[in-house]
Amino acid sequence: MRIAVDHPVRPGLRMESADGGRLVLVQGERPVLFARQRVTHHGVHYARTGTYVSPLAPVRAATARAFADFAPPGSEAWTDRWAAHAREELCGAAEGPLHEGDWHLAPMTPDWFVESHWAKLLPHDTDRGHLTWFGYGDPDEDARDLLPLRALSAPDAPRVKAYRRQYREGLLPPVVLWWISGLQSPVVLDGHDRLVAALAEGGRPTVLLLSGAVDAGHVAMWSELPLRAYEERMAALRPGPLAGVKASTVSRQLAAELLAVERAPRITRAWPLAGGVAAWERATTEHVPGWRPKRRP
């Protein structure tokens, strides 16, 4: 689903940056996440402040049941209905991430998630931690595929227990993520307790990803290679009883590759942090006292 946004210029939930790979995610006027990239780009250190609030209203159980009556849970129509619901919420949110430009809100590419990383999410979710990038595994438990913006609830917390029941009934709404390129990771925008519920039940959540949309020039440039490869594969097909099946397979592969190009996330915009490095250092001292990310290679 594509979302065209004409305002605001500066959103209520935004990334701000200073020199040296220093980042801060601000909601309204309060910092909710500090981060500092490693000098070798092997990962990022982070510290949550505990003040994040989802820009989406809590999902009522009656809404989940109504959407399940609209279309079978897990179907494309059901997922699209939840995407439309999230779009409406985000467009009306004063402290959400949308700003002028084009956006995508769609199911996240399944191959982003490494199956073995899901088991690390609950036991290793800390307010001050580190995310390893690109599979360097230093340490291995830091190789995770998403970052919650608040502490995850216990699996037996009352709200999580209610969502676990929805998961068993096949009604659990999707978790909404937001891609932040400075963290090289999606963050949990909405659905922290739904995420815990799905994992506690031994399952995986349905995931919608919000990301900035790349422009038409980017799509055209990166579509050239798969289109050329498609033409070569089609030209190489030989007549025979399986020619139609092979042509259909090649065409489906092209469609998937072009969709991936079209949905590629744009680099996340970061606004300059007023006061630069000195302001970032003062803010970390105030909001996450004692946190000093190690500048390891």
Side-chain angles (χ1 to χ4, degrees):
M1 175 178 294
R2 200 171 183 95
I3 308 173
V5 179
D6 56 12
H7 70 282
V9 174
R10 185 171 179 266
L13 181 63
R14 63 195 177 275
M15 187 63 79
E16 298 184 358
S17 65
D19 289 344
R22 295 172 173 84
L23 303 168
V24 56
L25 184 63
V26 178
Q27 188 171 36
E29 297 304 323
R30 63 189 184 279
V32 298
L33 178 82
F34 291 94
R36 189 168 186 185
Q37 299 168 345
R38 288 173 59 179
V39 293
T40 52
H41 305 293
H42 285 191
V44 61
H45 298 275
Y46 69 86
R48 298 186 301 230
T49 65
T51 59
Y52 176 73
V53 178
S54 170
L56 283 70
V59 178
R60 299 171 61 89
T63 302
R65 295 190 180 280
F67 284 17
D69 291 339
F70 171 79
S75 67
E76 183 176 351
W78 177 84
T79 304
D80 288 346
R81 184 66 188 88
W82 277 112
H85 172 82
R87 177 191 61 192
E88 293 169 5
E89 291 281 318
L90 287 167
C91 287
E95 294 191 343
L98 294 184
H99 58 80
E100 60 178 359
D102 290 337
W103 298 76
H104 283 303
L105 182 61
M108 191 166 186
T109 305
D111 58 9
W112 167 261
F113 297 104
V114 177
E115 181 59 31
S116 61
H117 291 178
W118 285 111
K120 303 172 186 176
L121 189 58
L122 294 181
H124 298 293
D125 178 61
T126 58
D127 279 339
R128 302 182 184 191
H130 170 264
L131 288 182
T132 292
W133 292 345
F134 314 124
Y136 284 104
D138 51 351
D140 183 64
E141 59 265 23
D142 289 353
R144 289 166 285 156
D145 298 329
L146 56 84
L147 178 61
L149 289 179
R150 67 163 175 80
L152 296 175
S153 303
D156 60 352
R159 182 177 289 275
V160 174
K161 290 170 69 175
Y163 282 135
R164 292 178 68 169
R165 184 165 54 250
Q166 286 189 12
Y167 180 86
R168 293 193 295 270
E169 295 173 355
L171 305 176
L172 189 68
V175 175
V176 182
L177 307 181
W178 172 32
W179 174 259
I180 299 182
S181 57
L183 301 175
Q184 192 63 28
S185 172
V187 299
V188 181
L189 196 63
D190 180 70
H192 289 76
D193 288 342
R194 299 195 296 276
L195 171 63
V196 175
L199 296 178
E201 288 296 314
R204 303 291 178 258
T206 301
V207 173
L208 293 172
L209 178 69
L210 176 72
S211 62
V214 295
D215 60 32
H218 175 101
V219 173
M221 180 179 67
W222 288 99
S223 296
E224 290 179 0
L225 184 59
L227 285 169
R228 189 180 309 118
Y230 167 78
E231 293 171 352
E232 292 172 354
R233 288 195 295 266
M234 291 295 288
L237 290 178
R238 296 180 179 180
L242 296 179
V245 175
K246 293 179 179 178
S248 178
T249 299
V250 172
S251 296
R252 287 196 299 272
Q253 180 180 349
L254 173 66
E257 291 173 345
L258 293 181
L259 181 62
V261 170
E262 199 268 336
R263 286 185 178 174
R266 184 181 65 223
I267 293 175
T268 308
R269 180 172 179 181
W271 278 258
L273 174 64
V277 171
W280 188 89
E281 297 288 352
R282 286 195 301 271
T284 58
T285 299
E286 177 183 355
H287 296 282
V288 286
W291 178 66
R292 286 295 179 269
K294 298 178 181 178
R295 298 300 283 162
R296 61 185 178 184

